[in-house]
Amino acid sequence: MTEKTAPADSSENGTEKEPGASPTHIASPKLRYEASKALVWGMVIGFIVLAVHLSQSLLVIFGALVFAAMIDGGARLLGRILPIGRGWRVGITLLFGVAFMLWLGFFAGSQISQQAAEFPAIIGEQLGRLLSFLRSKGFAISQEDVQSIASNMMSGVGTITKAIGGLFGGLTTMFLILIIGIYFAIDPRVYERGLAWMIPSHRRGAFYDTLSYQAYTMRRLLAGRLVGMVAEGIFTWALLAFYGVPMAALLGLLTGLLAFIPNIGAIISGVLMVLVGFSGGVDMGIYTIFVYFLVQNFDGYILVPLIAKKTVDLAPALVLSAQLIFGVLFGILGMALADPMLAMIKVALERRSARIEAAGKPGEPKGAEAAA
């Protein structure tokens, strides 16, 4: 009988043993390559789906970062005149904010709440006059058409604001933004280091560079925005009160608050201002139109450019498009944060482009490390 010899072990011949014992192993290199690509695409799709489900939470976190940038900007301004620690400067900035809200609630709240109660009646009366005027000019507009348009508008508003979840949801969202923003503002370096640990070491320099530019841009953008809000509110109130326009304080407050949302906020405040103005006659209505254009031009062409000149340089059509898209997707909060988010994306792309250009210059570092 002949003895059966065992198959030679591949390790004895100096070659690696083929890991074919596992039933999930793919022996073909081409199949393994295609499977790895499919895995990567599956993970990308999974991350996109996860981001959609977490979009509201991510938006709240970004809103907290915007609020933290406001606090940080105030603390840095105080640091120029007060040689005290950052924690104290952050506390003083928050104290000023709380004092302003208390003043707004206790001293200006009674007058503004009175005017707010009369505001819907005046708007409804002016819309009725506009409807009668259009009918007199031959437009066949019935009351049912107006009600249908109003119901569609309310349906649209409900769709846009569903992410906020009503009054309670809106207050909860604002509370979360304030609390998280305060934590970010007190010690931002902790969170920067935490993000940097999740990035490869050779790319951390690029990460800190981009983050520094984004923070600087955000502070300047919000500084211009806040000063513009205050100026628009005060100038609108003063000019309207000078002529005796009804609800001057309420219109000034609404104009200032809506100025945080570029383009759309100005349009809404202007429509409300003109409707209230025409309730006092044609002369008053024309005066409110003059006030609106005067305030908007002063803010857009003189005040904000002096404070945040060439900060982001975003195209108005791009900002408006982003506001409409973010408003439909994420509600009023998304509409308000569309401009800062677009600015941060632009800064990140600009810094990456600058590093790539620097990598191609003589004497500069080249390769993946420079383009990171």
Side-chain angles (χ1 to χ4, degrees):
M1 294 180 64
T2 58
E3 294 184 359
K4 294 182 180 180
T5 58
D9 193 351
S10 59
S11 60
E12 296 178 357
N13 300 328
T15 59
E16 295 182 359
K17 182 184 292 186
E18 189 72 20
S22 173
T24 60
H25 174 70
I26 301 176
S28 173
K30 291 184 178 180
L31 288 179
R32 284 202 301 268
Y33 175 71
E34 295 297 331
S36 63
K37 288 201 306 183
L39 178 62
V40 170
W41 279 109
M43 293 177 63
V44 169
I45 295 173
F47 279 124
I48 292 175
V49 173
L50 182 62
V52 170
H53 283 286
L54 297 178
S55 59
Q56 296 302 322
S57 300
L58 296 175
L59 200 63
V60 169
I61 295 174
F62 183 77
L65 291 173
V66 173
F67 179 65
M70 294 183 187
I71 301 175
D72 183 59
R76 288 172 181 267
L77 288 177
L78 287 176
R80 298 181 179 181
I81 56 177
L82 295 177
I84 56 179
R86 175 182 171 80
W88 288 102
R89 288 184 276 120
V90 170
I92 293 174
T93 304
L94 291 173
L95 187 61
F96 278 133
V98 172
F100 171 75
M101 296 304 297
L102 290 176
W103 172 84
L104 187 64
F106 287 104
F107 294 96
S110 58
Q111 181 185 5
I112 292 176
S113 61
Q114 248 179 3
Q115 295 178 358
E118 304 170 5
F119 193 69
I122 292 181
I123 298 298
E125 180 183 353
Q126 291 305 106
L127 290 176
R129 289 182 181 180
L130 177 61
L131 181 61
S132 301
F133 173 77
L134 293 176
R135 286 174 179 172
S136 67
K137 297 300 180 181
F139 291 93
I141 302 178
S142 63
Q143 189 70 25
E144 290 77 12
D145 296 333
V146 176
Q147 291 177 353
S148 176
I149 294 173
S151 63
N152 290 333
M153 291 177 62
M154 292 304 296
S155 175
V157 171
T159 301
I160 291 177
T161 57
K162 66 181 179 180
I164 304 300
L167 179 61
F168 178 76
L171 293 176
T172 304
T173 300
M174 293 304 300
F175 178 76
L176 288 174
I177 289 176
L178 294 178
I179 295 300
I180 299 174
I182 291 173
Y183 280 121
F184 282 154
I186 291 175
D187 192 3
R189 300 297 179 187
V190 174
Y191 307 100
E192 291 179 9
R193 291 195 299 267
L195 287 175
W197 288 339
M198 295 185 290
I199 298 174
S201 58
H202 67 280
R203 294 181 179 268
R204 290 176 186 173
F207 166 76
Y208 282 117
D209 172 74
T210 301
L211 194 64
S212 175
Y213 274 88
Q214 285 179 330
Y216 174 72
T217 301
M218 179 72 79
R219 288 194 300 269
R220 295 193 64 189
L221 177 67
L222 295 177
R225 191 68 53 79
L226 289 176
V227 173
M229 290 170 62
V230 174
E232 284 192 38
I234 293 177
F235 290 164
T236 300
W237 165 75
L239 293 173
L240 294 180
F242 173 78
Y243 197 82
V245 178
M247 305 181 184
L250 179 61
L251 289 172
L253 178 62
L254 290 176
T255 301
L257 293 177
L258 290 172
F260 187 82
I261 308 176
N263 302 323
I264 294 178
I267 294 173
I268 296 175
S269 63
V271 170
L272 296 177
M273 190 187 307
V274 171
L275 286 175
V276 174
F278 275 100
S279 67
V282 178
D283 293 341
M284 184 177 290
I286 295 175
Y287 177 77
T288 55
I289 296 175
F290 166 76
V291 170
Y292 170 74
F293 282 105
L294 178 64
V295 171
Q296 293 300 324
N297 282 290
F298 175 76
D299 176 72
Y301 293 101
I302 299 177
L303 186 61
V304 172
L306 288 176
I307 299 172
K309 185 179 181 181
K310 297 180 180 179
T311 302
V312 184
D313 192 24
L314 292 173
L318 181 62
V319 175
L320 183 58
S321 301
Q323 288 172 347
L324 294 176
I325 294 173
F326 277 78
V328 173
L329 292 177
F330 308 116
I332 296 177
L333 185 60
M335 187 182 298
L337 298 177
D339 189 28
M341 189 175 299
L342 199 62
M344 296 301 97
I345 295 174
K346 184 175 185 291
V347 171
L349 294 176
E350 286 177 344
R351 294 310 305 161
R352 177 173 176 80
S353 177
R355 287 191 294 270
I356 293 176
E357 290 180 1
K361 293 180 180 179
E364 296 288 342
K366 297 182 180 181
E369 182 176 351

